[in-house]
Amino acid sequence: MVEARIRVIYGDTDQMGVVYHANYFRYFEFSRSEYFRARGGSYREMEREGLALPVVEATASYKSPARYDDVLLVRPRVSEVKRVSLTFTYEIFREGGSDTPLCTGRTVHACVSREGRPTRLPEALVRLLHEAP
């Protein structure tokens, strides 16, 4: 299991001291990068090979607020791999908190060429997504 650790900075919060809702999508993105890194891959390498994985759908469900200086644990997981797309799901927990997530989410990514055309996920990428870190 990959777990990305993030400390909430003041700039991530709103006037009430609560993490602004859109920042959870940044946390999802950070955890995806860590997911690839933990498996020996990177977005940068994919881009060098002429591929990109843009987000085509994103959702988040907020359960409980995160606040300034909280340490968050983001757990990304690949939940579905199709021919030209893949889906990540996420759970965000407060370090030292309960086993109930503060936020859950999902992002769907299309695999596209440098020209922006849908393309089949390379077999090497599919293997990398499923290997244990």
Side-chain angles (χ1 to χ4, degrees):
M1 169 177 47
V2 173
E3 189 171 79
R5 192 172 183 268
I6 300 172
R7 183 174 298 274
V8 175
I9 63 170
Y10 187 75
D12 286 348
T13 64
D14 60 19
Q15 271 188 316
M16 297 175 288
V18 172
V19 170
Y20 180 67
H21 71 278
N23 285 320
Y24 288 92
F25 292 99
R26 291 179 42 246
Y27 303 157
F28 294 166
E29 179 181 4
F30 176 73
S31 74
R32 282 194 308 274
S33 292
E34 293 301 302
Y35 186 92
F36 281 102
R37 213 172 266 117
R39 287 166 165 68
S42 74
Y43 274 123
R44 182 171 287 172
E45 185 59 37
M46 280 189 305
E47 290 172 346
R48 279 191 210 119
E49 294 174 11
L51 298 175
L53 293 173
V55 175
V56 296
E57 184 180 324
T59 61
S61 179
Y62 308 101
K63 317 288 185 193
S64 185
R67 299 183 184 280
Y68 168 70
D69 212 34
D70 282 349
V71 175
L72 304 179
L73 305 174
V74 187
R75 296 179 184 153
R77 184 174 70 82
V78 173
S79 59
E80 184 174 43
V81 176
K82 293 184 177 178
R83 210 169 105 178
V84 297
S85 68
L86 62 106
T87 301
F88 275 92
T89 57
Y90 311 89
E91 292 181 311
I92 298 180
F93 299 87
R94 183 178 293 109
E95 185 175 64
S98 74
D99 291 335
T100 304
L102 303 176
C103 179
T104 59
R106 176 178 172 270
T107 55
V108 179
H109 304 260
C111 184
V112 298
S113 66
R114 199 171 268 125
E115 296 77 30
R117 292 189 181 98
T119 187
R120 185 180 203 107
L121 286 165
E123 189 56 41
L125 176 59
V126 172
R127 279 193 309 277
L128 180 123
L129 292 169
H130 292 296
E131 288 176 359

